[in-house]
Amino acid sequence: MKINILTLFPNMIKGGLSESIIARAQYEGRVTLNVYNYRDFSNNNRRAVDDAPYGGGAGLVMQVEPVKNALQVIDPKHHSHIIYVTPKGQPLTQERVKLLAESEHLTILCGHYEGVDQRIIDNLVDEEISIGDYVLTGGELAAMVIVDAVVRMRRGVLGSDRSVEEESFENNLLEYPHYTRPENYDGQKVPEVLLSGNHKKIKEWRYSQQLKITKERRPDLFKKHLQSLYSCKKKSELRRVLRCLDAVGLIAEAPTHWIKFSNYKRKK
Ligand code: ADE
């Protein structure tokens, strides 16, 4: 996979993506990151890339020319999917991240303090993405967030034993809690079930915890998760879900027809 990033602050991006898993992914050739400075594509000898906004107002606006010149050099046939990072974009989700990770070639345009000429967005950009409902000083951190989230989804990047199936947002659930040694830390014990060696019970405990934490923190996702099970016709599967809801006091959240259909006997 190849990712181009255009920015006024290349060192910020290079520094931010030169450690840990993303650095290893680059070293192993799983991703090639090319970082370009807009100023290198300016037509004037001051290397300026911005000018005052038409209509007045504070600050400077990024001009079309340097962006167009840069794209003409780095992706002249527009083979890459071109993203502009902006708080006005569509919110980034794990679902979108997975789709972006299927692409072989992305280009990310980082915003300028005050914004970019709208004609860049209208004519050169395929998609506008926001990383959340808050405003950053520039698009660099947003671009790094996208690269990190996308690259870790590529095959081999997390290592063969690492499953992404149980992490947050899979199946509209947040992740269950983890514990490691010591078994007893200052009187706080690791839940017994995790020491039992009973894999079925551990799996159900973890699922129960996912249901509980998701209901508490993200009722919107919890609702979606239950909705995804509406068409489930497997009685044993529904009983498992009901058992796990019951274990964390959430049985009332299940549709009553699930209980009847699957012959589930409620916990006493
Ligand atoms: N640039 C500034 N704020 C941003 C945000 N929230 N998402 C994407 N790009 C941005």
Side-chain angles (χ1 to χ4, degrees), residues 7-152:
T7 168
L8 287 171
F9 306 103
N11 291 338
M12 189 173 167
I13 306 263
K14 286 182 196 161
L17 298 174
S18 64
E19 297 277 353
S20 182
I21 292 168
I22 307 303
R24 192 180 62 205
Q26 290 176 80
Y27 178 75
E28 291 174 350
R30 299 185 197 280
V31 60
T32 304
L33 296 180
N34 299 317
V35 185
Y36 300 93
N37 191 333
Y38 289 119
R39 293 195 192 285
D40 293 337
F41 301 92
S42 158
N43 277 342
N44 61 63
N45 40 22
R46 287 177 301 113
R47 287 166 49 89
V49 292
D50 47 18
D51 210 330
Y54 280 117
L60 297 166
V61 174
M62 169 82 85
Q63 294 170 295
V64 180
E65 196 70 20
V67 182
K68 181 121 196 288
N69 291 346
L71 290 174
Q72 226 138 48
V73 171
I74 66 178
D75 183 19
K77 298 219 164 111
H78 196 154
H79 284 319
S80 67
H81 182 67
I82 302 180
I83 296 165
Y84 172 56
V85 280
T86 164
K88 289 197 282 186
Q90 287 296 316
L92 187 66
T93 60
Q94 189 62 20
E95 208 178 353
R96 190 74 201 113
V97 164
K98 280 194 205 158
L99 286 173
L100 291 173
E102 285 173 17
S103 170
E104 285 308 316
H105 196 178
L106 299 175
T107 296
I108 306 178
L109 309 180
C110 298
H112 184 263
Y113 325 93
E114 296 300 333
V116 300
D117 189 303
Q118 183 61 32
R119 290 163 294 187
I120 295 174
I121 297 165
D122 293 344
N123 302 316
L124 305 172
V125 166
D126 296 313
E127 179 180 15
E128 293 173 79
I129 294 181
S130 163
I131 62 157
D133 290 347
Y134 41 81
V135 182
L136 304 165
T137 54
E140 285 69 23
L141 286 168
M144 285 191 263
V145 165
I146 294 174
V147 171
D148 189 286
V150 166
V151 170
R152 71 187 283 288

